[in-house]
Amino acid sequence: MTLSIRKVAVLGAGTMGHGIAQVCAQAGYEVALRDVAEGALAKGIAAVQKSLDRLVEKGKLDAAERARVLAAITPTTQLADAVRDADVVIEAIPERMEWKLETFREIDASAPPHALLGTNTSSLSVTEIAGAVRDPSRVVGLHFFNPVPVMELVEIVRGIRTSEAALDDARALVTKLGKKPIVVRDFPGFATSRLGVAIGAEAIRMLEQGVASAEDIDTAMKLGYRHPMGPLELTDLVGLDVRLAILEHLHREVGEQFRPPALLRQMVRAGKLGRKSGEGFYVYAKS
Ligand code: CAA
């Protein structure tokens, strides 16, 4: 039987988490948005407001619907409160395995047994994460893309112990969110991160080698390949720290072709993380 969904708990109010909370609320679900810090929650809610304002300005959403969507999202710092009566839990915390395992142990202690448990990890093992809960058959990867309200794909990752029923529930959820699902096996980097970081890392190496300027490398892929953004602009959007973490993981798990470029490490050490820090391969005006 397909899961009946009333409430979704989203854990982590960062770039991905607040976007996921928004699309779930827009699809008509009640949403609990949890982060460890009040400040992060306030930032996440402000970002949802800004994104909804854009939709209202474009005439894609009316003011009453904007108010309904915002009212459907309840921010909280308490994980147990967020997941207690949730039908779906989506974890979107930073990409550190030990944090994910701890979070899934906490989810397991408070979420109802029927709940579908999703992780938005972009490269870590869904099978390993699922090992933190008593029933790993209910755990799937639900990999969203940034900016979540705009991007049409969700990559569903099937862990070794993910059940057919959980996969069906995940497909139904993704479709209800207005997005297109693809299903991939639990292999490091899945389909999207593996291809995405390969192009991004090569672009950074080309910049290091002086092949062309950042602008020209980006223009090459925008005009020559019709990518909506160049690989360096996209790295700024995703976050240099996020891409470095994915590359380090794929380097360990898949092989030499994913060795992170030295320039990327240096920029992360210097705090140049992309749009969120105000500077990456480009400089951004403070918003
Ligand atoms: N909320 C709501 N709407 C938004 C939005 C947001 N946060 N951001 C953009 N939009 C809307 C705009 O309002 C606009 O709507 P209309 O078409 O109705 O006018 C539309 O999206 C396009 O935006 P813009 O006109 O401002 O700018 P653009 O045409 O340059 O598009 C972009 C911006 C959507 C980001 C586009 O450049 C793009 O698709 N870039 C590639 C993004 C990408 O590859 N993301 C994946 C990153 S990898 C990842 O996320 C996974 C991972 O694991 C790290």
Side-chain angles (χ1 to χ4, degrees):
M1 201 185 76
T2 310
L3 179 69
S4 156
I5 304 171
R6 185 184 58 84
K7 178 177 164 185
V8 180
V10 180
L11 309 182
T15 308
M16 301 307 290
H18 70 68
I20 296 168
Q22 177 184 332
V23 295
C24 289
Q26 283 183 256
Y29 300 128
E30 194 184 307
V31 179
L33 178 60
R34 189 262 181 169
D35 207 300
V36 284
E38 294 282 1
L41 279 174
K43 237 173 126 178
I45 296 290
V48 173
Q49 283 168 340
K50 202 168 147 193
S51 174
L52 293 173
D53 285 344
R54 259 173 117 145
L55 294 173
V56 172
E57 273 164 34
K58 307 239 167 179
K60 291 183 175 170
L61 198 77
D62 63 30
E65 183 61 3
R66 176 190 185 278
R68 188 203 63 73
V69 171
L70 276 177
I73 304 176
T74 306
T76 176
T77 54
Q78 302 303 310
L79 185 142
D81 291 346
V83 306
R84 188 164 293 123
D85 52 353
D87 306 298
V88 177
V89 179
I90 304 175
E91 165 276 309
I93 69 167
E95 291 286 86
R96 292 264 296 269
M97 182 54 87
E98 65 272 27
W99 293 358
K100 304 252 186 208
L101 292 175
E102 180 55 32
T103 298
F104 271 79
R105 278 193 282 272
E106 288 180 42
I107 296 170
D108 200 33
S110 302
H114 74 268
L116 177 72
L117 308 181
T119 169
N120 181 54
T121 183
S122 48
S123 62
L124 299 178
S125 166
V126 171
T127 305
E128 188 175 348
I129 293 170
V133 302
R134 280 164 295 178
D135 180 7
S137 74
R138 299 296 296 154
V139 179
V140 290
L142 287 174
H143 184 204
F144 289 79
F145 296 84
N146 179 13
V148 180
V150 179
M151 303 304 283
E152 288 164 274
L153 182 72
V154 176
E155 188 174 41
I156 298 176
V157 183
R158 176 183 203 150
I160 288 178
R161 300 175 74 174
T162 305
S163 66
E164 249 348 290
L167 270 188
D168 287 346
D169 290 338
R171 278 197 201 91
L173 169 70
V174 168
T175 307
K176 179 80 196 301
L177 298 180
K179 306 209 178 282
K180 165 97 183 136
I182 58 165
V183 177
V184 302
R185 186 161 79 78
D186 188 16
F187 194 89
F190 317 131
T192 54
S193 299
R194 188 164 167 179
L195 287 170
V197 298
I199 296 174
E202 208 49 39
I204 298 168
R205 278 190 273 271
M206 286 163 61
L207 190 64
E208 274 177 332
Q209 291 161 357
V211 174
S213 65
E215 288 82 354
D216 283 354
I217 291 171
D218 280 338
T219 300
M221 295 311 279
K222 282 189 285 194
L223 301 188
Y225 283 74
R226 283 209 181 166
H227 287 194
M229 282 179 132
L232 299 170
E233 285 177 282
L234 184 57
T235 303
D236 276 358
L237 176 71
V238 169
L240 276 69
D241 51 339
V242 173
R243 285 219 142 161
L244 176 59
I246 297 173
L247 279 167
E248 283 173 335
H249 179 66
L250 294 187
H251 183 224
R252 276 192 305 271
E253 298 266 335
V254 184
E256 194 50 33
Q257 74 263 38
F258 289 104
R259 176 182 289 282
L263 176 62
L264 179 62
R265 278 191 198 289
Q266 285 160 358
M267 289 177 74
V268 170
R269 285 184 186 137
K272 294 183 182 183
L273 307 181
R275 283 197 194 184
K276 62 187 169 189
S277 72
E279 186 176 351
F281 296 101
Y282 299 91
V283 177
Y284 300 88
K286 292 263 178 280
S287 61

